[in-house]
């Protein structure tokens, strides 16, 4: 079992920046990709970005490329999502995910991820 806890969400104005944090615990010694998704009330949960355990490789949705950056802390169980130039359409609940049981790749598919955090709300006002 892996537990994921997100933090860092909040209410910001358009154009602002925000950094989300996800801390993973459980299954000591396991290494796995981690990722970020987001969901609004009207839309399905969509992929934003993923990163390997080492932090050496990153993957992005086209919509996130350029404004969002995923990274790892020196403690590899901690992942960040740096979001810049936020827009009202970025308003969503942001979820952290861990991928333990499926082969590498297909990070954009929700069913490839095994554990999810509870989510953190990001609201961007215009």
């Amino acid at each position: 079992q892996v537990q994921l806890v997100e933090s860092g969400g909040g209410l910001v104005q358009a154009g602002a920046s925000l950094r989300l944090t996800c801390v993973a615990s459980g299954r000591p010694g396991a290494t796995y990709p981690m990722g970020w998704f987001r969901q609004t009330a009207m839309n399905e949960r969509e992929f934003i970005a993923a990163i390997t355990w080492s932090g050496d490789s990153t993957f992005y949705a086209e919509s996130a490329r350029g404004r969002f950056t995923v990274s790892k802390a020196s403690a590899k169980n901690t992942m960040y999502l740096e979001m810049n130039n936020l827009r009202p359409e970025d308003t969503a609940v942001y979820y952290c995910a861990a991928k333990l049981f499926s082969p590498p790749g297909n990070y954009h598919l929700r069913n490839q991820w095994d554990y999810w955090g509870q989510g953190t709300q990001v609201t961007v006002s215009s």
Side-chain angles (χ1 to χ4, degrees):
Q1 191 81 0
V2 171
Q3 293 79 41
L4 302 168
V5 179
E6 305 98 333
S7 62
L11 172 63
V12 297
Q13 290 189 329
S17 297
L18 207 57
R19 187 174 80 165
L20 305 182
T21 301
C22 174
V23 179
S25 61
R27 297 186 74 100
T31 61
Y32 42 85
M34 296 175 69
W36 290 100
F37 284 71
R38 68 184 181 185
Q39 186 170 18
T40 66
M42 298 296 293
N43 297 318
E44 294 186 347
R45 196 167 297 188
E46 66 170 347
F47 171 71
I48 300 172
I51 188 167
T52 55
W53 181 261
S54 66
D56 290 345
S57 297
T58 56
F59 311 86
Y60 292 93
E62 280 304 313
S63 60
R65 200 178 298 275
R67 292 192 301 125
F68 293 4
T69 303
V70 62
S71 63
K72 283 288 195 81
S74 55
K76 298 303 181 186
N77 67 326
T78 300
M79 174 180 65
Y80 303 114
L81 183 68
E82 186 77 33
M83 304 184 293
N84 297 313
N85 191 22
L86 283 163
R87 306 164 180 165
E89 53 264 38
D90 295 316
T91 295
V93 178
Y94 285 70
Y95 295 92
C96 171
K99 189 178 191 295
L100 273 76
F101 305 121
S102 56
N106 292 320
Y107 297 111
H108 63 292
L109 298 176
R110 285 178 299 155
N111 63 9
Q112 296 291 300
W113 295 85
D114 304 297
Y115 296 100
W116 296 86
Q118 82 288 350
T120 185
Q121 175 72 46
V122 172
T123 303
V124 184
S125 63
S126 58

